Amino acid sequence: MIPVDSIRSRHDTPAGRVVIYGANGYTGRLIARQAVSRELFPVLAGRNRETISQMAGEYGLAWRQADLDRPGTLLQTLDGVGVVIHCAGPFSHTARPMVRACLEAGVHYLDITGEYAVFEDLARLDGAAKACGIMVMPGAGFDVVPSDCLAAHLASRLPGAMDLKLAFAGLGGGMSRGTAKTMIEGLGYGGAIRRNHRIQRVPAGHKTRVIDFGGRSLTTVAIPWGDISTAWHSTGIPNVEVYMAVTPAMLRFMTISNTMGGLFRTGLVRCLLKALVDRLPAGPSEASRQQARSFLWGQATDEAGAVRVSRLETPEGYTLTALTAVAAAEKIIGGQASLGFQTPSRAFGADFILEIPGCERIDVR
């Protein structure tokens, strides 16, 4: 292991050191590469000693082996650092152990989850995080930086909005194994929306909508995306729905899952599906990521029927995740850490997304 103190960087104090946990995963590698390009010289960490040490050797970085099931190793990994970027999902299983370690070590927490239940769970730790002097901000990637910033922007355009609808579409690119496995975790549980300030369960694929993303109208379906949690925390708007562009086959599968929920929730079926995922490429190639783009749409409505619509175009989702996660870590290192549970827009403002190269926002009038 390369001692952390031997790394020379402009962030050579504990508060300025970053740990990337799960750095050997598909998205973790993208984040590590971006961090190195920004001269953060992160400490790489993960469960697999061989792959983490090999990756660290490629970049000339420090590394630490840690297991989420062994709190002692996590505390050792967080010793002498200021912020962790947690990249090892599914976060419904992994977020709590890492946050507990961060609370004990006094280390700021970032992750890249899009699971609404994780946001709700970590929001309950707001008081504990403030007492320990740390910021806890899940959703530092494509999930949910662009959509959360769009929600906050729409709320500023229409104060008193009562209804918020958000949607996204990815054109090109693909899906990583980690994302696919997280989706498998959610199979059989239906969808969710926020209604009158409370999250409500609904059937999967219960509502569709054709949305104009700016020159391209796509069929979308309501999904249980993280913004049904974060948009409410960011804006206070009581009714929130999130839509994703889908193919007819995807929509049919979602509808079928409502009648086969019990089967999808069994351990055997999940293991079989995850084994199939392991045969797929780790994620989209760099060439496909460079050619792909992501599009977001949002609409806020108030009780009088006034409507505001805004759109956002960004780089491909995994590329954007690396950019936003590292940018968030840099802000924390620079002293912009608001204590307690935070959403991206509450921590850094609705225009945070516009600081990221390749992002453009348009207000539809």
Side-chain angles (χ1 to χ4, degrees):
M1 180 185 299
I2 303 172
V4 174
D5 292 335
S6 71
I7 302 293
R8 292 187 178 183
S9 76
R10 58 191 175 95
H11 303 296
D12 58 357
T13 63
R17 293 181 185 137
V18 178
V19 165
I20 301 175
Y21 185 85
N24 56 312
Y26 177 79
T27 309
R29 288 179 179 271
L30 297 179
I31 291 173
R33 187 188 310 168
Q34 173 66 13
V36 169
S37 74
R38 298 291 298 174
E39 299 184 358
L40 292 186
F41 300 100
V43 178
L44 307 185
R47 190 173 55 181
N48 190 310
R49 175 182 293 269
E50 181 178 351
T51 56
I52 285 291
S53 61
Q54 181 179 354
M55 181 180 172
E58 296 172 5
Y59 289 105
L61 297 174
W63 62 274
R64 294 177 179 177
Q65 190 274 336
D67 194 325
L68 291 165
D69 295 327
R70 299 170 60 197
T73 63
L74 284 181
L75 289 174
Q76 292 174 1
T77 295
L78 298 179
D79 182 43
V81 302
V83 56
V84 61
I85 304 176
H86 180 31
C87 304
F91 295 92
S92 55
H93 301 309
T94 68
R96 267 278 182 166
M98 182 60 80
V99 172
R100 282 198 297 264
C102 286
L103 290 169
E104 186 169 346
V107 172
H108 300 296
Y109 173 90
L110 299 171
D111 73 27
I112 54 173
T113 188
E115 301 163 68
Y116 78 86
V118 174
F119 292 108
E120 292 292 285
D121 185 39
L122 298 190
R124 300 184 188 101
L125 299 178
D126 177 61
K130 288 176 179 175
C132 294
I134 69 169
M135 183 170 87
V136 172
M137 195 189 90
F142 182 81
D143 319 344
V144 292
V145 172
S147 48
D148 186 60
C149 288
L150 188 60
H153 175 67
L154 284 164
S156 70
R157 291 188 65 203
L158 188 63
M162 297 297 291
D163 183 88
L164 176 67
K165 291 180 173 58
L166 300 166
F168 64 92
L171 299 185
M175 185 183 299
S176 74
R177 292 175 190 157
T179 301
K181 289 180 178 180
T182 296
M183 292 178 68
I184 289 171
E185 290 286 323
L187 285 176
Y189 291 99
I193 60 174
R194 188 174 286 272
R195 186 65 64 225
N196 296 324
H197 297 286
R198 296 184 178 276
I199 292 177
Q200 298 180 359
R201 303 296 312 211
V202 295
H206 79 294
K207 187 182 292 187
T208 61
R209 183 185 183 106
V210 176
I211 291 177
D212 179 7
F213 287 92
R216 51 184 65 80
S217 294
L218 301 174
T219 298
T220 67
V221 63
I223 62 168
W225 199 246
D227 294 277
I228 64 172
S229 173
T230 52
W232 179 77
H233 286 288
S234 299
T235 70
I237 297 175
N239 303 296
V240 182
E241 296 176 0
V242 185
Y243 293 77
M244 177 182 71
V246 292
T247 63
M250 293 169 64
L251 183 57
R252 284 195 297 272
F253 179 80
M254 293 175 69
T255 304
I256 292 172
S257 71
N258 291 314
T259 59
M260 301 179 63
L263 179 63
F264 285 130
R265 291 194 294 270
T266 61
L268 176 60
V269 170
R270 288 188 179 186
C271 286
L272 289 173
L273 291 174
K274 289 179 181 180
L276 292 175
V277 168
D278 284 332
R279 299 181 180 180
L280 301 175
S285 67
E286 184 158 358
S288 65
R289 285 191 297 104
Q290 289 178 351
Q291 295 173 3
R293 298 290 289 172
S294 294
F295 300 87
L296 294 97
W297 169 95
Q299 174 182 285
T301 308
D302 69 10
E303 286 186 312
V307 176
R308 299 291 183 272
V309 174
S310 296
R311 300 192 190 104
L312 185 64
E313 182 177 347
T314 77
E316 178 271 344
Y318 294 105
T319 301
L320 184 69
T321 292
L323 293 170
T324 55
V326 172
E330 287 183 303
K331 285 183 176 292
I332 293 173
I333 291 169
Q336 298 185 49
S338 301
L339 302 187
F341 170 81
Q342 298 294 334
T343 65
S345 68
R346 281 196 347 192
F348 307 127
D351 291 341
F352 173 43
I353 188 63
L354 300 183
E355 300 174 21
I356 307 302
C359 295
E360 181 182 5
R361 188 177 64 210
I362 296 175
D363 294 333
V364 181
R365 303 189 182 279

